[in-house]
Amino acid sequence: MRPRCPVTVAFCPQPPLLVPAVAGVHSADLGVLRAAVSAAVQVVLQGTPDVVVVLGTGADGVRFGPGDVGDLRGFGVDLELPFSGWARPGGRRLPLPHLLGAWLLDQAGHIGVRLGVGPDDLETALSDLPGPVGVLAMGDGSARRSEKAPGHLDPAAAPFDAAVARALATGDAGALATLDPEEGARLLAAGVPVWRAVGAALDGLEIDAQLLTDEAPFGVGYPVATWRTR
């Protein structure tokens, strides 16, 4: 199913350290990453989307909307964040990617319609939406980029992330769609299901692409990029 309308995508990593209250002490690496992510989100919002779709793992067939809520207590911060509007009693709990995506939209001043989906639901969601759509595609690269990385060093991690970065930089949807999910899981690359979903949804379309940054300051790949369909 092809999207019925123009789509702008911000590919953003999902470290809780994006939130200053979680990170605590400021670092230059985090400053660069936050600036790149903010710029990518602004590209999406400059397209005046009718809906911003926050795409991430953990949805398990559920769509998130107003009243659903998550928190950062697991990261040492007593902070609760609604996906959109206000938290409601009994609202569904947000996975980390959707929580951070909502936080990024809040930081950018977005007050429009939001929809949270998982990778398996992206194509259906895009085909259902009639107007311009923005997508925040939340996902990290390999967590095995250095000896101090969460998964320790794996020599295959950097080449894997480099292939992802090339696809993001060139708008190669087919390359994203055919990323090896088993190798992605082995390398602890949490973004692979999300990237595969975007690639499959936009394969065959002309895409204007820009890679804003591709670093691994903490041993985890954090690519940031934007795509715009034509």
Side-chain angles (χ1 to χ4, degrees), residues 69-162:
V69 65
D71 65 73
L72 292 167
R73 296 186 184 96
F75 303 97
V77 177
D78 188 14
L79 180 63
E80 190 168 80
L81 297 170
F83 183 74
S84 177
W86 292 269
R88 74 170 186 273
R92 289 164 295 193
R93 303 304 297 181
L94 297 173
L96 180 63
H98 301 86
L99 174 67
L100 290 177
W103 181 82
L104 290 173
L105 291 172
D106 288 345
Q107 295 300 298
H110 176 260
I111 58 173
V113 178
R114 305 175 187 180
L115 174 66
V117 304
D120 292 343
D121 195 21
L122 178 64
E123 285 194 71
T124 300
L126 292 181
S127 67
D128 288 345
L129 298 171
V133 177
V135 177
L136 297 195
M138 307 296 295
D140 297 341
S142 175
R144 295 191 164 189
R145 291 284 295 274
S146 74
E147 293 287 356
K148 295 183 179 180
H152 306 293
L153 178 65
D154 188 308
F160 185 89
D161 282 356

Side-chain angles (χ1 to χ4, degrees), residues 16-27 30 34 75 77:
L17 292 174
L18 286 174
V19 181
V22 174
V25 177
H26 175 78
S27 74
L30 279 176
R34 287 171 180 153
F75 303 97
V77 177

Side-chain angles (χ1 to χ4, degrees), residues 1 8 97 134 140 154 202:
M1 292 179 286
T8 305
D140 297 341
D154 188 308
L202 303 186

Side-chain angles (χ1 to χ4, degrees), residues 47-73:
T48 60
D50 287 356
V51 179
V52 177
V53 175
V54 179
L55 171 65
T57 57
D60 299 326
V62 172
R63 289 186 175 187
F64 298 107
D68 297 330
V69 65
D71 65 73
L72 292 167
R73 296 186 184 96

